[in-house]
Amino acid sequence: MANKNYAEVEILVNDSVSSRKVAFAKGINRDVNLANAKKIAADIKANGYRQAELIQVIPADEVIAAGDLSLVDINKDPIEDTEAFRYYLVLDGQHRIYAASLYNKENPGNKIQVPAVEVDLSNGETVSQYIAAINITKVIWNSSDYVRGAANVQSTDLLVHYKELIKSEDNPNGFPLSTLNLIFCLNAKALNKLDLSLLCEGKLEKGSKQKKKILPAYNLDRGNRFIEICKGKGFSQKDLAKRYLIQQFIDITTAESEERAFQIFDAVTENDRKAMYNEKKNLTEDLVRKQFEIILNRTAK
C-alpha cells in the first residue's frame, strides 16, 4: 500500500474513556490491500462501523520497552520512543484501520473510533511470533509472507537475506523461493512453506521422533559471488530469477568442483551470453545448457 496522507484513526479499547492513535510494526505487519480497505470503507459508509468487529492491539509503549521493534504511524512515519504511550500497536485488523482512515478523511466532521481488544501475549511470546501466527491462520500466505514472518522471528543471516531478495509486492523483480534455495543452499527444497511456518512459530527443529534442524546448510558468500558474477556478465535480474544459470553452476560443482564452476562462469563471453537467448530475447534452458557445454569444452585442460 503506497504511502499517502492518511487520516489519523483513534483506537478505543474495551470502551475506555481515553483513546490512542494507530501504530504499526515496521517490516512485520502484513501489507494492506487498498481494494479490500475501500470495500470495508464503503460498508462503514452504508451501515456504520460494526462495533462487534474488534481489532487486536497492544500498548505501543510496552513494545518499545521490549526494544525489539521499530514502530511507524499510519503514514509510515517513525514514532519516537517518548511518544509511544500515545499509540496502540495493531496486531490484527489493519484493513479495518485503513478503511476507517479512508472514511474519516471523507467525513472529517463525523470521525469514527475503532473498537479494539488488548492482547495478552503468551509467556515468552514475542509480537513478531504473535503476528505471524494469527496471519498464517487467517489468510493464505505466499512464499514472501512466510519468509518475512520467519525472518522477523528468527533473524538469522540466511532468512534476513532471503527477505531482502525474495520476489514480493515490494520487490517484483526478486527471486522465487526455490531459486534462492538453489543459489544459497544448492537445493531447491532446502526451505519450504512448512519449514518457514515452523520458524514463524519460533521453532528451530522439526520431526516428532527424530528431530532435525529446520535451517539448512547454506553459504551466503558463494551465493552472493554467483549473483555478482552473473550480473557482471550482463545477465538481468529476470534471467537470474530463473533456475537455468544456477542449475548449470550446481551441475558443474557436482561433476567437478565449486571453483571449477566459478571458473566456467568467469569464462562466459558476451557472445556466449547472447547465444543463450531465443529469437524473442528470452533466456531458455536448452540454449543455456548447450552454451555451457561449449564453454566447458573450450576451457578443458
Side-chain angles (χ1 to χ4, degrees):
M1 193 174 196
N3 189 359
K4 298 181 180 180
N5 184 24
Y6 287 101
E8 191 58 75
V9 176
E10 296 285 336
I11 295 175
L12 205 60
V13 171
N14 300 331
D15 296 324
S16 173
V17 176
S18 59
S19 60
R20 293 191 182 197
K21 293 184 287 187
V22 172
F24 296 103
K26 185 177 180 181
I28 294 180
N29 281 108
R30 197 166 188 265
D31 292 336
V32 171
N33 184 313
L34 183 56
N36 289 345
K38 286 182 176 179
K39 288 179 182 178
I40 299 172
D43 181 69
I44 293 172
K45 185 176 182 180
N47 303 299
Y49 193 94
R50 302 178 189 276
Q51 294 299 306
E53 295 285 354
L54 300 176
I55 68 168
Q56 299 179 33
V57 301
I58 191 171
D61 41 325
E62 292 184 10
V63 176
I64 290 294
D68 60 344
L69 293 178
S70 297
L71 301 184
V72 294
D73 63 19
I74 197 167
N75 286 299
K76 301 189 185 303
D77 294 321
I79 296 172
E80 298 293 333
D81 291 2
T82 54
E83 293 295 307
F85 73 97
R86 303 182 188 277
Y87 293 82
Y88 279 119
L89 169 62
V90 177
L91 303 178
D92 182 50
Q94 55 203 36
H95 280 89
R96 303 199 71 79
I97 289 294
Y98 276 96
S101 175
L102 294 172
Y103 177 87
N104 286 347
K105 192 167 186 177
E106 291 183 2
N107 301 274
N110 188 32
K111 292 183 178 181
I112 56 173
Q113 293 179 320
V114 176
V117 60
E118 189 174 320
V119 171
D120 290 323
L121 300 178
S122 300
N123 187 29
E125 185 178 33
T126 67
V127 169
S128 299
Q129 290 172 333
Y130 184 85
I131 291 176
I134 60 176
N135 279 334
I136 289 172
T137 58
K138 289 191 64 174
V139 299
I140 298 176
W141 269 18
N142 57 35
S143 296
S144 65
D145 293 322
Y146 279 104
V147 167
R148 187 186 66 246
N152 289 332
V153 175
Q154 311 282 358
S155 56
T156 66
D157 52 1
L158 177 68
L159 293 174
V160 170
H161 208 45
Y162 271 32
K163 179 181 176 182
E164 294 171 350
L165 296 178
I166 197 164
K167 185 176 182 179
S168 65
E169 290 183 8
D170 293 333
N171 185 21
N173 296 318
F175 295 89
L177 177 60
S178 60
T179 305
L180 287 176
N181 284 335
L182 287 170
I183 292 173
F184 294 102
C185 308
L186 305 184
N187 179 358
K189 299 179 180 179
L191 274 176
N192 56 38
K193 287 183 180 180
L194 178 58
D195 294 331
L196 293 166
S197 176
L198 293 173
L199 291 169
C200 287
E201 296 173 15
K203 298 177 181 178
L204 291 173
E205 294 181 329
K206 61 182 179 180
S208 54
K209 293 182 179 179
Q210 192 170 11
K211 294 292 185 181
K212 179 183 177 182
K213 290 183 179 179
I214 298 173
L215 286 172
Y218 62 92
N219 189 318
L220 293 186
D221 290 337
R222 178 189 60 219
N224 289 334
R225 182 182 173 188
F226 166 80
I227 293 173
E228 183 178 350
I229 288 177
C230 288
K231 287 186 175 180
K233 295 297 179 179
F235 292 106
S236 68
Q237 183 75 13
K238 180 182 177 182
D239 296 333
L240 280 166
K242 297 178 180 178
R243 296 186 179 192
Y244 312 149
L245 294 171
I246 185 57
Q247 192 59 60
Q248 286 301 309
F249 181 90
I250 292 172
D251 290 347
I252 298 168
T253 297
T254 302
E256 301 188 43
S257 70
E258 182 179 301
E259 280 310 306
R260 173 64 170 157
F262 278 122
Q263 179 190 14
I264 295 301
F265 272 76
D266 274 328
V268 172
T269 66
E270 179 62 10
N271 286 336
D272 287 327
R273 186 187 67 81
K274 289 180 178 179
M276 299 181 197
Y277 297 83
N278 63 16
E279 64 279 2
K280 295 182 179 180
K281 306 299 182 184
N282 292 322
L283 194 73
T284 64
E285 187 173 12
D286 287 344
L287 292 177
V288 168
R289 184 173 61 251
K290 289 177 182 178
Q291 198 60 33
F292 270 98
E293 288 175 0
I294 294 172
I295 301 169
L296 278 163
N297 291 329
R298 189 175 72 219
T299 59
K301 295 179 180 180

